[in-house]
RNA sequence: UGCCCCGUGGUGUAAUUGGCAACACGUCUGACUCUGGAUCAGAAGACUCCAGGUUCGAGCCCUGGCGGGGCAGCCA
């Protein structure tokens, strides 16, 4: 991520409400003019574009205010968490440019401290061990409109609570037999304050703590403590925690410890996809996609594999904005962000995805090396040579026997320019027994070679091509959106799986690429001229087989008009 | 039905804190172009959810509605 913005730039940047809050805190010196943020994922899945927004926000704030940014795993639920997720999250945060330096923390490392604080609350009569079952607790909690009632265990003496709590810790009870609850107010209109649970018994192996613990802190109890321990100033979370803030504050106040400020903002949603980890997990487990990093997924690892750059994702999240109202960003904005980046940085090459053979009948049986510009947006990218010969492949869609009005590619008897080569004329159309076009016989005009300036001829279209004898073969995967509905998970009747796009992947086993691509490296990005941006797949590319993923198409004003 | 949050072009944000509603994406024109890309020029699109009130003046403040979202896990 770019270096710390200078103060003038920071002044002029339109500020979201969080920056305004922080500006206010800087003025009053609330946190001693320090800013310290964190990104606190639970390692129970891969990061998605929404998490990327949170990382960019939190890291960006730390950077802009010359503060610090922590990565902290909120690993308080051993039943759902795995090291695989921890590892992928670390990789993704780094890749996005979220620089946590050496500050990578785990909530589970704070369990001893949390336990002691719980003991303190018990001693102060602010927490108690409850014998009620999960069902009973729910019943006692009341409803949205009716107050709850107090558990019979609520007024147990502190001594008894202490010994019971210790027994909980020592594994003397089964799952669900006891819980530790905060003693707040069973009649609060905010249900989160009706004696929330602080610890539950879970006999399960934790990915870092092993079997050291069989009681685990709940989010409400743990999160503020984690922030407090790390000296976080602004604890930024999503909207659904707004009703939990009084609880966040209550625990910290009762303990009298350092007290960060929780600020909530609306998460990013993206249309034509789903964002909940549960649904993404389902897509993976039930094999609707090929893993968390399937390029059609909205995960950071998938976007990376698809060819997105960290820069593009940062721009996308910046442009998506920060506010408190629910929002859905358009897929087009994501696509814009990557096109904008790749247009400037990706070298152009020629590749034919759906080949149609063209024989240039009057071209000699020789090979010419033609000059091609690598990136018209960046002269420093230089030029390269491309071989041209008598037999070439062009794109099937670049020829039409009966073209609609406005089509300016190859038609019978018509002319087009071959990019960086000659103008050719279609003399003959060859078909198979099914009437399908299998080959074109064309003539070329030797006076029209690109760069020679000897041609007065103007043609409307320029198409790309690859010399048949020199072509490199590759598998190419074309992706479309994973869902056909803008908001696949908001239909009241239909399950989101019913909206899966059956055509979200078109696999082209054999595409023809210009020879310069022979040694393309996994992860390398290119623009296939007129086709879109592509990158070498990092998962399936081998020494003997190149696999390309289409990152995004080029904007296509003709295709749009034609439909 | 209790509590909390939120309503600004199609989408997402802004409006110097009470002063002509701006920017980006998208859409549509046109120019240019050896990528139907890029670039450039332009256009359309908003009674700022509604109704009252305060004020010379309200997107912004007040009141009341309406609409959307969240909360009744021993998930986070």
């Amino acid at each position: 991520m770019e270096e710390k913005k200078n103060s003038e730039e920071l002044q002029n940047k339109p500020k979201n409400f969080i920056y305004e809050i922080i500006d206010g805190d800087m003025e009053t010196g609330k946190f001693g003019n320090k800013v310290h943020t964190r990104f606190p994922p639970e390692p129970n899945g891969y990061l998605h574009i929404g998490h990327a927004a949170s990382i960019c926000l939190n890291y960006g704030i730390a950077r802009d205010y010359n503060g610090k940014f922590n990565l902290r795993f909120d690993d308080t639920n051993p039943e759902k968490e795995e090291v695989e997720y921890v590892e992928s999250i670390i990789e993704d945060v780094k890749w996005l440019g979220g620089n946590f330096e050496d500050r990578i923390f785990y909530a589970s490392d704070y369990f001893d401290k949390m336990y002691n604080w719980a003991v303190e609350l018990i001693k102060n009569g602010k927490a108690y061990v409850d014998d009620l079952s999960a069902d009973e607790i729910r019943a006692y909690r009341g409803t949205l409109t009716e107050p709850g009632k107090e558990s019979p265990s609520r007024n147990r003496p502190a001594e008894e609570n202490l010994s019971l709590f210790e027994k909980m810790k020592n594994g003397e009870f089964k799952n669900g037999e006891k819980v530790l609850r905060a003693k707040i107010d069973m009649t609060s209109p905010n249900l989160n304050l009706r004696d929330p649970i602080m610890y539950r018994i879970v006999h399960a192996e934790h990915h870092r703590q092993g079997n050291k613990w069989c009681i685990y802190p709940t989010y409400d109890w743990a999160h503020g403590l984690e922030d407090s321990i790390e000296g976080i100033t602004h604890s930024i979370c999503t909207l659904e925690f707004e009703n939990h803030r009084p609880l966040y504050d209550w625990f910290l106040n009762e303990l009298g410890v350092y007290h960060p400020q929780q600020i909530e903002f609306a998460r990013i949603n993206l249309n034509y996809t789903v964002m909940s980890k549960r649904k993404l997990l389902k897509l993976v487990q039930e094999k609707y996609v090929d893993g968390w990093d399937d390029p059609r997924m909205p995960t950071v690892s998938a976007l990376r594999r698809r060819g997105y750059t960290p820069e593009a994702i940062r721009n996308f999240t910046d442009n998506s904005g920060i506010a408190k109202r629910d929002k859905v960003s358009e897929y087009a904005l994501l696509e814009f962000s990557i096109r904008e980046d790749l247009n400037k940085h990706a070298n152009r090459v020629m590749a034919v995805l759906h080949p149609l053979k063209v024989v240039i009948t009057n071209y000699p049986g020789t090979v010419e090396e033609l000059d091609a510009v690598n990136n018209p947006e960046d002269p420093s990218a230089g030029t390269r040579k491309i071989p041209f010969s008598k037999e070439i492949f062009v794109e099937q869609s670049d020829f039409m026997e009966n073209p609609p009005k406005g089509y300016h590619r190859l038609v019978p008897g018509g002319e087009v320019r071959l990019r960086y080569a000659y103008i050719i004329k279609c003399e003959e159309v060859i078909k198979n027994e099914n009437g399908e076009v299998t080959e074109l016989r064309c003539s070329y005009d030797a006076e029209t070679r690109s760069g020679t300036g000897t041609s007065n001829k103007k043609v409307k279209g320029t198409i790309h091509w690859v010399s048949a004898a020199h072509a490199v073969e590759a598998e190419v995967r074309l992706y479309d959106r994973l869902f056909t509905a803008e908001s696949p998970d908001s239909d009241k009747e239909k399950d989101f799986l019913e909206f899966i796009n059956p055509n979200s992947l078109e696999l082209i086993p054999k595409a023809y690429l210009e020879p310069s691509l022979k040694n393309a490296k996994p992860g390398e990005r290119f623009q296939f001229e007129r086709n879109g941006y592509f990158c070498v797949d990092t998962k399936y590319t081998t020494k003997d087989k190149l696999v390309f993923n289409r990152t995004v198409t080029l904007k296509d004003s003709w295709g749009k008009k034609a439909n």
Side-chain angles (χ1 to χ4, degrees), chain A residues 330-349:
Chain A
E330 288 188 337
Y331 203 84
L333 186 63
L334 219 210
E335 295 194 326
F336 167 79
S337 71
I338 188 60
R339 284 197 190 104
E340 185 188 40
D341 188 9
L342 261 20
N343 175 49
K344 286 189 290 234
H345 304 300
N347 280 354
R348 274 60 168 170
V349 292

Side-chain angles (χ1 to χ4, degrees), chain A residues 78-124:
Chain A
E79 292 178 312
K80 290 186 176 172
E81 298 154 6
E82 295 176 24
V83 281
E84 178 196 349
Y85 298 134
V86 171
E87 286 163 4
S88 75
I89 288 169
I90 293 172
E91 183 185 5
D92 288 350
V93 174
K94 281 185 179 165
W95 181 74
L96 281 167
N99 185 5
F100 47 84
E101 298 173 320
D102 59 347
R103 290 182 305 281
I104 172 165
F105 300 121
Y106 297 83
S108 55
D109 288 344
Y110 309 145
F111 283 176
D112 283 301
K113 274 185 187 158
M114 291 176 186
Y115 181 84
N116 292 334
W117 270 321
V119 167
E120 192 180 325
L121 283 195
I122 293 172
K123 285 181 181 161
N124 294 340

Side-chain angles (χ1 to χ4, degrees), chain A residues 74 89 94 101 113 122 130 169 216 222 228 231 238-239 241 249 270 276 282 311 314 331 368 370 426 438 486 533:
Chain A
D74 204 7
I89 288 169
K94 281 185 179 165
E101 298 173 320
K113 274 185 187 158
I122 293 172
D130 198 348
K169 186 182 82 158
Y216 287 89
S228 181
T238 45
L239 249 30
F241 294 106
D249 293 336
L270 228 204
S276 94
K282 188 165 188 176
E311 182 68 23
R314 274 182 244 131
Y331 203 84
E368 250 182 294
L370 303 173
C426 176
T438 56
E486 255 195 61
Y533 295 98

Side-chain angles (χ1 to χ4, degrees), chain A residues 254-472:
Chain A
E254 288 299 329
L255 258 13
V257 295
Y258 168 77
H259 193 153
Q261 178 178 1
Q262 176 178 309
I263 302 170
E264 311 84 16
F265 77 106
R267 59 157 41 99
I268 283 190
N269 292 294
L270 228 204
N271 62 183
Y272 294 102
T273 190
V274 294
M275 214 67 107
S276 94
K277 279 194 202 172
R278 205 199 92 240
K279 286 175 180 148
L280 294 176
L281 181 63
K282 188 165 188 176
L283 291 171
V284 172
Q285 285 181 335
E286 298 180 10
K287 311 268 187 203
Y288 289 96
V289 294
D290 179 31
W292 285 94
D293 63 350
D294 183 301
R296 294 166 293 183
M297 294 280 275
T299 55
V300 173
S301 52
L303 259 7
R304 174 168 58 234
R305 206 179 136 205
R306 176 111 175 220
Y308 274 78
T309 61
E311 182 68 23
I313 292 177
R314 274 182 244 131
N315 285 339
F316 168 74
T317 60
D318 274 0
N319 292 332
S320 290
I322 300 298
K324 293 196 75 165
R325 55 179 127 159
D326 296 313
K327 59 174 170 230
V328 182
S329 287
E330 288 188 337
Y331 203 84
L333 186 63
L334 219 210
E335 295 194 326
F336 167 79
S337 71
I338 188 60
R339 284 197 190 104
E340 185 188 40
D341 188 9
L342 261 20
N343 175 49
K344 286 189 290 234
H345 304 300
N347 280 354
R348 274 60 168 170
V349 292
M350 294 204 283
V352 173
L353 272 21
H354 299 97
L356 173 61
K357 191 167 153 190
V358 170
V359 177
I360 301 165
T361 51
N362 60 338
Y363 191 81
T366 55
V367 177
E368 250 182 294
E369 294 285 325
L370 303 173
D371 289 306
V373 173
N374 287 331
N375 186 350
E377 305 293 319
D378 177 13
S380 73
T383 62
R384 69 187 184 286
K385 298 283 188 188
I386 310 174
F388 181 75
S389 63
K390 192 181 181 80
E391 289 192 11
I392 61 173
F393 292 113
V394 301
E395 210 70 63
Q396 282 170 22
S397 58
D398 284 337
F399 171 79
M400 278 188 102
E401 213 174 2
N402 301 298
K405 195 164 180 275
Y407 184 81
H408 42 245
R409 282 113 94 156
L410 246 199
V411 299
E415 291 183 316
V416 288
R417 172 171 289 284
L418 294 175
R419 178 87 157 145
Y420 296 124
Y422 301 91
I423 291 176
I424 58 169
K425 182 176 185 182
C426 176
E427 308 283 2
E428 191 184 345
V429 179
I430 303 197
K431 299 180 183 175
N432 63 15
E433 59 276 15
N434 299 323
E436 295 157 350
V437 178
T438 56
E439 185 182 320
L440 262 24
R441 297 285 166 92
C442 297
S443 60
Y444 89 115
D445 181 344
E447 301 301 308
T448 57
R449 197 175 83 199
S450 291
T452 56
T454 54
S455 171
N456 298 321
K457 220 176 256 186
K458 283 274 178 196
V459 287
K460 272 194 247 148
T462 298
I463 66 173
H464 61 277
W465 53 274
V466 169
S467 168
H470 304 87
V472 173

Side-chain angles (χ1 to χ4, degrees), chain A residues 119-299:
Chain A
V119 167
E120 192 180 325
L121 283 195
I122 293 172
K123 285 181 181 161
N124 294 340
K126 300 293 184 178
Y128 62 98
V129 173
D130 198 348
D131 306 332
L132 256 29
S133 69
D135 285 343
E136 288 167 327
I137 287 180
R138 188 180 320 114
Y140 273 68
R141 184 152 37 222
T143 68
L144 295 176
T145 51
E146 302 156 37
K149 45 177 195 182
E150 299 184 352
S151 164
S153 317
R154 198 175 198 258
N155 294 312
R156 253 206 261 263
E159 289 312 311
E160 198 182 330
N161 282 318
L162 247 18
S163 94
L164 248 16
F165 185 47
E166 189 168 1
K167 285 178 179 166
M168 281 171 66
K169 186 182 82 158
N170 293 339
E172 295 181 30
F173 301 112
K174 293 197 275 292
N175 288 2
E177 231 179 294
K178 303 263 188 263
V179 287
L180 184 73
R181 291 230 252 172
K183 195 192 245 185
I184 307 183
D185 178 6
M186 288 307 290
T187 66
S188 172
N190 181 343
L191 305 227
N192 296 126
L193 263 18
R194 319 242 262 230
D195 290 10
I197 287 160
M198 295 165 62
Y199 278 96
R200 73 281 207 189
I201 297 170
V202 182
H203 290 276
E205 188 170 322
H206 187 278
H207 63 99
R208 298 191 91 239
Q209 304 293 329
N211 295 307
K212 178 177 176 189
W213 297 90
C214 62
I215 56 172
Y216 287 89
T218 57
Y219 171 90
D220 284 320
W221 164 240
H223 204 87
L225 303 180
E226 297 161 21
D227 288 337
S228 181
I229 289 167
E230 294 177 18
I232 299 303
T233 53
H234 303 272
S235 174
I236 298 167
C237 62
T238 45
L239 249 30
E240 70 269 29
F241 294 106
E242 208 154 22
N243 291 333
H244 294 245
R245 183 162 16 102
L247 192 45
Y248 182 102
D249 293 336
W250 189 89
F251 282 128
L252 262 13
N253 286 149
E254 288 299 329
L255 258 13
V257 295
Y258 168 77
H259 193 153
Q261 178 178 1
Q262 176 178 309
I263 302 170
E264 311 84 16
F265 77 106
R267 59 157 41 99
I268 283 190
N269 292 294
L270 228 204
N271 62 183
Y272 294 102
T273 190
V274 294
M275 214 67 107
S276 94
K277 279 194 202 172
R278 205 199 92 240
K279 286 175 180 148
L280 294 176
L281 181 63
K282 188 165 188 176
L283 291 171
V284 172
Q285 285 181 335
E286 298 180 10
K287 311 268 187 203
Y288 289 96
V289 294
D290 179 31
W292 285 94
D293 63 350
D294 183 301
R296 294 166 293 183
M297 294 280 275
T299 55

Side-chain angles (χ1 to χ4, degrees), chain A residues 15-37 61 65 231-236 245 248 258-264:
Chain A
K15 287 183 178 156
N16 62 53
F17 78 100
I18 297 177
Y19 275 71
E20 280 176 12
I21 290 172
I22 298 175
D23 281 349
D25 292 341
M26 296 300 262
E27 264 171 48
T28 61
K30 181 174 176 184
F31 295 107
N33 286 355
K34 288 201 179 74
V35 171
H36 200 149
T37 57
I61 287 170
Y65 287 93
I232 299 303
T233 53
H234 303 272
S235 174
I236 298 167
R245 183 162 16 102
Y248 182 102
Y258 168 77
H259 193 153
Q261 178 178 1
Q262 176 178 309
I263 302 170
E264 311 84 16

